[in-house]
Amino acid sequence: MRRTVVVTGASSGIGLAAAVALARAGDDVVLLGRDPRRLADAVSRVRDAGGRTPASYRADFSVLDEVRAAGAAIAAAYERIDVLANNAGQLTSVRRPTADGHDATMQINHLGGFLLTHLLLDRLQAAAKPQVPARIVTTSSLAEAWGTLDVDRPGRRQISRWLAYGASKQANILTTVEAARRWTGLGIVATCFFPGLIRSGFGRRSPAFSVARFAPGLFRSSEQGADTLVWLATDPDALVPGGHFAWRAPFPATGRSTDPARAQRLWRSSLAAVEQG
Ligand SMILES: NC(=O)c1ccc[n+]([C@@H]2O[C@H](COP(=O)([O-])OP(=O)(O)OC[C@H]3O[C@@H](n4cnc5c(N)ncnc54)[C@H](OP(=O)(O)O)[C@@H]3O)[C@@H](O)[C@H]2O)c1
């Protein structure tokens, strides 16, 4: 039976390259994106790679109701989900809080995926078999190293977009640590990875990042960035609950991003942040 793999941020860059590779390998890939035109292009690319038209869903993670609607639609369409790749993210320049009241970067890069994961949790559990766990793979970043995350108030406004980005990537790793503690026993293995510096749509509005993209040898392709995601989504050797990887190997993260007590506090405050009403 073919695996069902849900990829967020599938309309561009690392997510699209991963979706193409997974479809080519025979998985049924479900694409989640925001921009309708890029999402339609991604559907064509994945169809060309895998020979089947993938399902696609649209949601802007800066609006939690859109995440709820997409999560409900995906849950209704699939009884089992073998892999969820929480990859959507950006370096946003939006300074005002979202309509949900959270820092925009934190909501897009952490709270949106956190909510989606909970909406699809029973579908992941339904896919898990004793020898073949379901998987959650999250795209983190080296930027976690400078994150100033308040684990009790993750949606708190940040003073700069790079600090906000670093905090959101700390949240990605801490969430993986706590998901491993809570869900490995359910047959769901959560891991995360740093993709490297990747020439994608990321950071296009950042002057520093845009200039750095031209430095010889520093940046890699989206396909190279997707390689570890595909490996974590597929390989038996990649079933390391709570693991943080880069280039298919364990990769260190700061203590602030791996501390189990901080992970538990962030989990509780994130649940409160995505609760309705
Ligand atoms: N590129 C790097 O050097 C690098 C390094 C470390 C980590 N990362 C991480 O890698 C992940 C993928 O980024 P990328 O490099 O592939 O960049 P990208 O080409 O810009 O792709 C980002 C993806 O996330 C989606 N996205 C952005 N904002 C969203 C929102 N508000 N709601 C829903 N989806 C949204 C985008 O959708 P649209 O097509 O609608 O914009 C796109 O599909 C991100 O989590 C990023 O933080 C990237």
Side-chain angles (χ1 to χ4, degrees), residues 75 79-81 117-127 188:
E79 282 178 21
R80 285 177 293 277
I81 294 171
T117 304
H118 281 81
L119 294 168
L120 300 181
L121 182 62
D122 58 351
R123 299 300 187 264
L124 287 159
Q125 210 181 331
I188 301 168

Side-chain angles (χ1 to χ4, degrees), residues 11-12 14 34-35 38 60-61 87 90 165 198 200-201:
S11 54
S12 175
I14 295 163
R34 176 188 52 164
D35 179 80
R38 277 197 288 276
D60 184 339
F61 281 19
N87 166 76
Q90 61 161 294
Y165 182 70
I198 302 303
S200 62

